[in-house]
Amino acid sequence: MFLSRAGLRSCGARIATSNTRCASVLAPTTPSAPTAAEATPLHNNNNKINYIQSFSTAAKPSTAQLVKQLREMTGAPMMECKKALSTPEVDHDLEKAQEWLRKYGSAKASSKVAGREALEGLVGVKIEGDRASIIKVKSETDFASRSETFSTFVQEIADAATAGDVNGDVDIGAFMASAKDSKGQVLSETLNDAILAIRENIQVDSMVIMKASSDKSVLAGYVHGRAPNSSCGSAAAVVELEVTSDAGSEKAEEAAKKLAMHVVAAKPTYLNPESVPEDVVNKEKEILLEKMTGTNKPPEIMEKIIAGQMRKFYEGICLTEQSHMVEEGNPKVSKAMKSLGLEVKNYTLIGMSK
C-alpha cells in the first residue's frame, strides 16, 4: 500500500498533535503559589518570605464518639446518652448533655429505683487530725457496691463529713443538701449522679462523726473486707485512745489500730459498764434472779452469783471488759491499754448487717 504525498503530510500532522498531548500529560507540573488566605509565613530573611500551605483537617466528632465520651463522663446508659445529645436544646453539646442528664435522667432513674430493697453496700472511714467520720451507704446488689463509682461516692461523703464542723450523729438529709464533694458539687446531686450511673437504689444509711476529746487523744481506724481498689469495706471501726503517760505517746497510734481491729471482730455494744443504760442492767439482773428461783440459796450467795454473772455479761457487751483479740495472750482491754500508758475514751463501729 502506498500513500500519496498529501496523505503523508496529513498523517505526520496527526502524529505531532498526539505527541504534544502526551508530553502535556507526562510533563511535571509546577505547583501554583498559594494565595494569601491559604499560606502562612514562616520567617522573613533578606526580604524573602517562605510559606507553608495550610489545610483544615479537623472534623466534628461523630454521634457515636460523643455518646462514648458522655458515657465515660457520667456513667449513664448508652441510650440515655444518645437521647440527651439528640435533644434540640442540647444539640450534641457535651456540657449541655451532662446538665440534661442531671435534670431529667437522674430524676427518672431515682423514681424507678425508689423503694427497692437495699441490703448491700459499703462503709467508709476518713480520719483527719482530731476528727474522724464513719459512713454507711447501701445499695441493692453486692456487684454495684463493689464498683468504683459506688466506692468513690462513699469516700466522697466520708471526706466531706470530716471536713465539716458537725460532731456525733448527723442529720443526713440536711448534710447531703448542704455539704459539697471534692468538685464543689452538692452531695445530693452527687448521689443522683451515682444513681444514674449505677441504676440502683442508693441510700446514705448511717453517719457518725467523732472528735478527739482532748489534745492528748489519738484517733485510728480499721476497715474490714475492703472492696477492690478502695478504702471502703463491709465493716469499720474508729477508736479514740488518750495518752496517760510519756511511754504511751509512742505506742498510741499502733495500739488504737489494733483495738479498732478488735472492735470489728468482737462487736462491743458499750464502752464500759458505766455506760450501760440502767434499764438494760436491771433487765439482766431480773433474768438472773428468775433463773435462781426455787434454788433455796441464801440471799448473800445469790448476790455473789449475780455479781459473777454480771461480770460475764459486761465482758460480752463492754469494750473495756472484753479480752483483747489482737494482743498476745488476750488480756482484758482496759488492762492492756493501762500497761501501755493509754486509756480507751471512745469508739464507733458500723457494719453492713443483713
Side-chain angles (χ1 to χ4, degrees), residues 18 22 48 83 128 176 197 204 219 274 306 338:
S18 176
C22 288
K48 293 180 180 179
K83 183 178 179 181
E128 191 72 40
M176 294 293 289
V204 182
L219 296 173
E274 293 74 28
I306 289 175
K338 187 176 181 179

Side-chain angles (χ1 to χ4, degrees), residues 234-246:
S234 57
V238 175
V239 170
E240 178 190 357
L241 296 181
E242 187 177 69
V243 178
T244 57
S245 71
D246 293 338

Side-chain angles (χ1 to χ4, degrees), residues 114-128:
R116 295 200 319 219
E117 192 174 44
L119 298 177
E120 301 291 341
L122 288 176
V123 179
V125 170
K126 176 69 174 182
I127 300 174
E128 191 72 40

Side-chain angles (χ1 to χ4, degrees), residues 243-254:
V243 178
T244 57
S245 71
D246 293 338
S249 59
E250 298 179 0
K251 304 172 183 177
E253 188 171 351
E254 183 63 25

